[in-house]
Amino acid sequence: MPRSLFEAYGIELEYMLVDPTTLAVRSVADCFLSQLSANVGAPLSDVTCRDLTWSNELARHVIELKVSEPTADLVGLAERFQNAIVDAQASLQSCGAALLPTAMHPTMKPQDEVQLWPHEGVDVYQQFDAVFDCRSHGWGNVQSVHLNLPFQGDREFAALHAAIRLLLPVLPGLAASSPVADGTESRSASTRLVYYVTHCDVVPCLIGDVIPDPMTTQEEYNHRVFEPIARESQRRNWQDWMKPEFLNARGAIARFDRGSIEIRLMDVQEHPRADVAICAAVIAVLRRLVDQRWRSVSEQNSLDTRSLRLLLDQSILDGEDAIIRWPEYLACFGIEDSAVTMSEFWNRLLADAKSEDHALERLYDPLDVILREGTLSKRIRRSLHASQVDSVSLANRIDWVYRRLAHCLQSGHSFLVP
């Protein structure tokens, strides 16, 4: 059913399946889905439990939890997501597995440990693997949140697309959660995005500059995004197994078949209420941009894509500590300063938005933790150096921190530095 701007939202959360004792990845998504459905035959790719759906992903140790149909009730959705995590425990235990949050497994070696989903859709996954080598962090260890926002017609598409491309670069300043990979601390706040922005490098037209160029109509989008992908698919003889709409890997992708734009640059958090709260924050700011509260759509689209990408790179590296030194960009959000940190940027925008958005206000507690204590990435990093574990090896510190994160997912509580 076609929906107009901000009528309802689709949210998808990705988690890792791990051994409860060692936290090593467990490639048992098919076992888990079979247990959920009490299915003794071929494993299912999707299992619907009331109004939520569990689904497989490319890697067999990753599982997705999503709303089955878009919803306007974000407050209720946050609770339903959390309840689904709790309700899944028996099925997880039957498979010798537990769920682990955050955007990257901290110690896995993807070349050795990633197993592709071997059931429905396996031909597509094998094709991806042949081209991109999916046994890598960029394909097999990048857990995210996808937020789908609806539009009807070119006018709504133009306004929503312009707003989203402006907001994409600052999302890691609110949602970064991956400071550890390969058993060591990364330099970046969102190591997931370090790998994500390069995971399609062998076919650059699939991802472009990650930040999409300004586009105002479906015809223009087809010409500038889908047609180059289609030509590349034909050149590589892919056209029989994948459409351009599914190959598009930009940080936000238009889905004209279902009338939505999907945002892909948010790391998954430590519990679903935090993810939904971040989505509510993004929606609240996008509403104001779409309403042209501070700048028109054409003025928003005048900001250079390459400069937006450079701002994203800053945000990936430094998270909320990145400094926005771009007055024209800040003016698009009603900020008159010549430079602010991303932390201050989000504090200002959300303080204003909360007073006007009842759902955001009710979901605000996890955001308050982020704005006061730092992104989950910063809290993880600080916890790795907490006095309680300062004298033990880094491997043991990582184990201690990520066990606490697994507990946060089960309890629905925010992760705090001890």
Side-chain angles (χ1 to χ4, degrees), residues 316-379:
I316 291 170
L317 181 64
D318 294 326
E320 68 270 44
D321 295 326
I323 300 174
I324 307 171
R325 295 186 176 90
W326 188 3
E328 293 81 6
Y329 179 84
L330 294 172
C332 289
F333 297 89
I335 297 174
E336 297 180 358
D337 304 57
S338 59
V340 298
T341 65
M342 290 202 182
S343 176
E344 186 177 357
F345 174 91
W346 281 110
N347 266 286
R348 289 196 198 183
L349 287 180
L350 297 185
D352 175 60
K354 183 175 69 167
S355 66
E356 301 178 15
D357 191 313
H358 182 57
L360 179 61
E361 184 179 25
R362 292 179 63 188
L363 290 163
Y364 206 76
D365 283 354
L367 291 168
D368 187 58
V369 171
I370 293 170
L371 296 173
R372 188 182 68 249
E373 304 290 338
T375 58
L376 181 54
S377 183
K378 177 175 279 191
R379 282 174 277 144

Side-chain angles (χ1 to χ4, degrees), residues 9 21 24-26 31 33 79 141 147 153 156 159 214 231 253 255 279 317 365-366 393 401:
Y9 314 99
T21 302
V25 295
R26 293 272 289 145
C31 172
L33 291 170
E79 297 308 310
N141 190 21
L147 171 61
E156 290 190 357
R231 287 194 295 270
I253 62 169
R255 292 291 303 272
C279 288
L317 181 64
D365 283 354
S393 69
V401 167

Side-chain angles (χ1 to χ4, degrees), residues 61-362:
H61 72 275
V62 179
I63 198 76
E64 180 184 76
L65 176 62
K66 61 189 175 186
V67 62
S68 302
E69 292 291 334
T71 179
D73 180 17
L74 294 180
V75 176
L77 179 59
E79 297 308 310
R80 295 196 298 278
F81 273 147
Q82 186 61 47
N83 291 338
I85 298 290
V86 174
D87 292 345
Q89 289 313 296
S91 296
L92 289 164
Q93 290 170 6
S94 297
C95 299
L99 294 176
L100 186 67
T102 77
M104 292 190 75
H105 192 282
T107 60
M108 77 172 291
K109 304 299 181 187
Q111 195 64 41
D112 299 325
E113 297 182 78
V114 168
Q115 296 180 23
L116 301 185
W117 175 259
H119 307 291
E120 182 182 355
V122 63
D123 291 347
V124 171
Y125 297 141
Q126 288 174 343
Q127 291 273 13
F128 271 118
D129 189 39
V131 176
F132 298 105
D133 183 12
C134 295
R135 291 168 177 83
S136 62
H137 284 304
W139 287 89
N141 190 21
V142 280
Q143 287 65 241
S144 62
V145 174
H146 291 176
L147 171 61
N148 291 269
L149 299 112
F151 66 85
Q152 277 196 68
D154 283 343
R155 185 174 180 179
E156 290 190 357
F157 166 74
L160 183 60
H161 191 266
I164 287 173
R165 72 183 288 272
L166 272 194
L167 200 57
L168 288 177
V170 294
L171 292 181
L174 193 65
S177 77
S178 47
V180 181
D182 290 318
T184 190
E185 282 189 73
S186 165
R187 172 66 183 86
S188 299
S190 177
T191 311
R192 176 186 79 91
L193 287 176
V194 171
Y195 287 103
Y196 182 84
V197 301
T198 60
H199 79 298
C200 289
D201 274 0
V202 296
V203 190
C205 69
L206 302 189
I207 197 165
D209 226 348
V210 183
I211 306 296
D213 290 323
M215 285 169 274
T216 58
T217 66
Q218 180 175 356
E219 181 180 9
E220 182 181 13
Y221 201 96
N222 287 338
H223 176 66
R224 298 182 64 185
V225 177
F226 292 148
E227 289 178 12
I229 294 175
R231 287 194 295 270
E232 184 67 17
S233 296
Q234 186 172 21
R235 188 180 76 82
R236 292 174 175 265
N237 295 317
W238 291 353
Q239 62 270 29
D240 293 335
W241 61 272
M242 191 59 76
K243 296 179 180 178
E245 292 85 345
F246 297 103
L247 288 166
N248 186 10
R250 287 159 176 77
I253 62 169
R255 292 291 303 272
F256 294 99
D257 56 329
R258 61 190 188 196
S260 70
I261 300 176
E262 181 177 88
I263 297 174
R264 295 177 158 190
L265 295 189
M266 294 179 289
D267 284 3
V268 75
Q269 303 297 297
E270 72 270 45
H271 62 91
R273 293 187 185 98
D275 292 300
V276 177
I278 288 173
C279 288
V282 169
I283 291 163
V285 175
L286 288 176
R287 280 182 181 274
R288 286 151 181 76
L289 290 168
V290 167
D291 288 345
Q292 304 176 73
R293 178 170 298 192
W294 304 295
R295 290 292 186 271
S296 68
V297 170
S298 61
E299 288 172 316
Q300 293 172 31
N301 275 334
S302 71
L303 271 65
D304 174 62
T305 300
R306 187 59 194 161
S307 298
L308 291 171
R309 169 60 193 273
L310 292 174
L311 182 58
L312 173 64
D313 290 342
Q314 275 185 267
S315 183
I316 291 170
L317 181 64
D318 294 326
E320 68 270 44
D321 295 326
I323 300 174
I324 307 171
R325 295 186 176 90
W326 188 3
E328 293 81 6
Y329 179 84
L330 294 172
C332 289
F333 297 89
I335 297 174
E336 297 180 358
D337 304 57
S338 59
V340 298
T341 65
M342 290 202 182
S343 176
E344 186 177 357
F345 174 91
W346 281 110
N347 266 286
R348 289 196 198 183
L349 287 180
L350 297 185
D352 175 60
K354 183 175 69 167
S355 66
E356 301 178 15
D357 191 313
H358 182 57
L360 179 61
E361 184 179 25
R362 292 179 63 188

